[in-house]
């Protein structure tokens, strides 16, 4: 493996098409303002590097990147890549990951609007993350020990599992399909509208008007806080350990709940049952 160490690159396509290289303690920055530093490369290891230019890693296969800093100017950093491992790295450029396959992100700090769109096989562990429209239309997500803050996260995702995480994100999981959220704290308005086959297990759910217009919705041993007008027009099977502010017109299924301050059943098509537990 060729080792490239302690270099600074600012030209266009500085390491274009590299094969079998290890890039250590390099800077991609400078007045030439070149882009696409590692485009079309393969079998690349990058350690302790600074990226301050656009589109550094497009069409890269078998990439391992660790202890790096991608600034706000390293926009659209990883697009059309396959088999990527990113660890202990700061990703602060917009649209950092898109249209990739088999991506692992560990112990990173992510501040990136439109992060992780259209990714297949997306594994995130131990990261802090902030951004709008996080992971739009991605599939095969595993999301563990994460701290997430944003808006419109996880919309249209499929076949994914979220565990042991703190999610503070408005309008999350809209149109999501075949998703398990387990042992998580989920805070945000209008949670998971129009979703299909989504299960929340041992979760705390916080926020107004959650879980409306859902199909195949399940709640197992969950707590709900500030949840008013919940479950409107949803097909739901729920076990709720706390009192709910209000439940409105569940379409079908059974909601077992400790209590409610208000039940609104003013739609003749609403057939859902509410059973109070001790």
């Amino acid at each position: 493996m060729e080792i490239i160490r302690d270099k600074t690159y600012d030209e266009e396509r500085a390491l274009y098409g590299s094969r079998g290289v290890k890039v250590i303690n390099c800077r991609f920055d400078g007045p030439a303002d070149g882009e696409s530093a590692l485009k079309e490369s393969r079998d690349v290891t990058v350690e302790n590097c600074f990226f301050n230019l656009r589109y550094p890693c497009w069409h890269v296969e078998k990439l391992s990147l660790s202890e790096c800093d991608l600034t706000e100017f390293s926009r659209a950093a990883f697009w059309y890549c396959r088999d990527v491992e990113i660890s202990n790295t700061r990703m602060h450029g917009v649209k950092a990951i898109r249209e990739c396959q088999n991506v692992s992100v560990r112990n990173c700090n992510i501040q990136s609007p439109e992060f992780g769109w259209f990714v297949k096989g997306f594994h995130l562990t131990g990261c802090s993350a902030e951004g709008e429209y996080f992971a739009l239309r991605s599939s095969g997500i595993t999301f563990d020990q994460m701290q997430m803050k944003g808006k419109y996260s996880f919309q249209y995702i499929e076949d994914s599992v979220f565990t042991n995480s703190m999610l503070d994100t408005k309008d999350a999981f809209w149109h999501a399909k075949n998703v398990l959220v387990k042992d998580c704290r989920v805070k945000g308005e209008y949670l998971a509208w129009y979703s299909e086959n989504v299960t929340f297990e041992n979760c705390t759910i916080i926020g107004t008007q959650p879980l409306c217009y859902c199909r195949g919705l399940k709640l197992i041993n969950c707590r709900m806080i500030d949840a008013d007008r919940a479950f409107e027009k949803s097909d739901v099977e729920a076990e709720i350990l706390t009192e709910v502010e209000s439940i409105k017109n569940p379409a079908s299924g059974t909601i077992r709940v400790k209590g409610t301050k208000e039940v609104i059943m003013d739609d003749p098509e609403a057939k859902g049952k509410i059973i109070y537990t001790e």
Side-chain angles (χ1 to χ4, degrees), residues 209-222:
Q209 291 180 252
L211 306 169
C212 300
Y213 302 94
C214 303
R215 296 292 175 266
L217 173 67
K218 293 182 181 179
L219 274 69
I220 303 170
N221 295 326
C222 289

Side-chain angles (χ1 to χ4, degrees), residues 235-263:
D235 164 34
V236 53
E237 296 293 331
E239 300 172 4
I240 305 168
L241 306 179
T242 57
E243 185 177 89
V244 176
E245 291 290 320
S246 61
I247 294 172
K248 183 175 182 180
N249 293 328
S252 61
T254 303
I255 300 166
R256 292 175 171 82
V257 61
K258 184 176 180 180
T260 57
K261 293 182 180 179
E262 183 181 17
V263 174

Side-chain angles (χ1 to χ4, degrees), residues 34-246:
E35 59 189 43
S36 302
L38 286 159
K39 187 175 182 180
E40 299 281 2
S41 295
R42 183 181 177 88
D43 297 316
V44 177
T45 299
V46 182
E47 297 178 358
N48 195 33
C49 290
F50 177 79
F51 292 87
N52 200 40
L53 301 173
R54 300 173 301 281
Y55 324 136
C57 300
W58 282 39
H59 299 282
V60 179
E61 293 191 25
K62 296 186 179 179
L63 169 66
S64 174
L65 185 142
S66 62
E67 305 289 346
C68 292
D69 186 359
L70 289 89
T71 74
E72 62 187 280
F73 299 107
S74 64
R75 62 182 292 123
F78 306 94
W79 283 35
Y80 311 108
C81 297
R82 183 191 296 268
D83 300 329
V84 178
E85 295 183 359
I86 304 169
S87 62
N88 301 301
T89 288
R90 189 175 78 121
M91 285 183 278
H92 283 194
V94 66
K95 306 178 183 179
I97 297 176
R98 185 172 295 189
E99 295 274 8
C100 295
Q101 295 184 42
N102 190 25
V103 178
S104 174
V105 181
R106 294 183 291 107
N107 303 324
C108 292
N109 177 262
I110 302 162
Q111 293 183 27
S112 178
E114 302 181 23
F115 177 91
W117 288 17
F118 311 113
V119 178
K120 296 180 179 178
F122 200 9
H123 313 291
L124 300 102
T125 305
C127 302
S128 62
E130 185 172 350
E132 291 76 40
Y133 293 102
F134 200 95
L136 178 72
R137 292 191 183 276
S138 288
S139 61
I141 300 170
T142 59
F143 201 86
D144 186 51
Q145 301 180 55
M146 296 284 293
Q147 300 279 336
M148 172 71 207
K149 186 173 183 179
K151 297 180 181 178
Y152 326 119
S153 305
F154 318 120
Q155 295 192 353
Y156 294 95
I157 67 167
E158 295 187 8
D159 305 322
S160 298
V161 178
F162 294 72
T163 52
N164 306 306
S165 296
M166 303 281 287
L167 311 178
D168 183 355
T169 172
K170 177 181 177 181
D171 293 345
F173 298 107
W174 277 47
H175 298 277
K177 186 175 180 180
N178 302 330
V179 173
L180 171 63
V181 184
K182 185 175 181 180
D183 300 321
C184 292
R185 182 179 175 91
V186 185
K187 181 181 178 182
E189 301 172 351
Y190 319 119
L191 174 67
W193 285 32
Y194 308 105
S195 61
E196 183 177 350
N197 298 333
V198 174
T199 297
F200 294 88
E201 183 175 351
N202 300 329
C203 291
T204 297
I205 296 168
I206 305 168
T208 188
Q209 291 180 252
L211 306 169
C212 300
Y213 302 94
C214 303
R215 296 292 175 266
L217 173 67
K218 293 182 181 179
L219 274 69
I220 303 170
N221 295 326
C222 289
R223 298 176 179 272
M224 302 186 78
I225 300 171
D226 298 330
D228 62 298
R229 292 166 287 174
F231 306 117
E232 184 175 9
K233 302 296 181 68
S234 287
D235 164 34
V236 53
E237 296 293 331
E239 300 172 4
I240 305 168
L241 306 179
T242 57
E243 185 177 89
V244 176
E245 291 290 320
S246 61

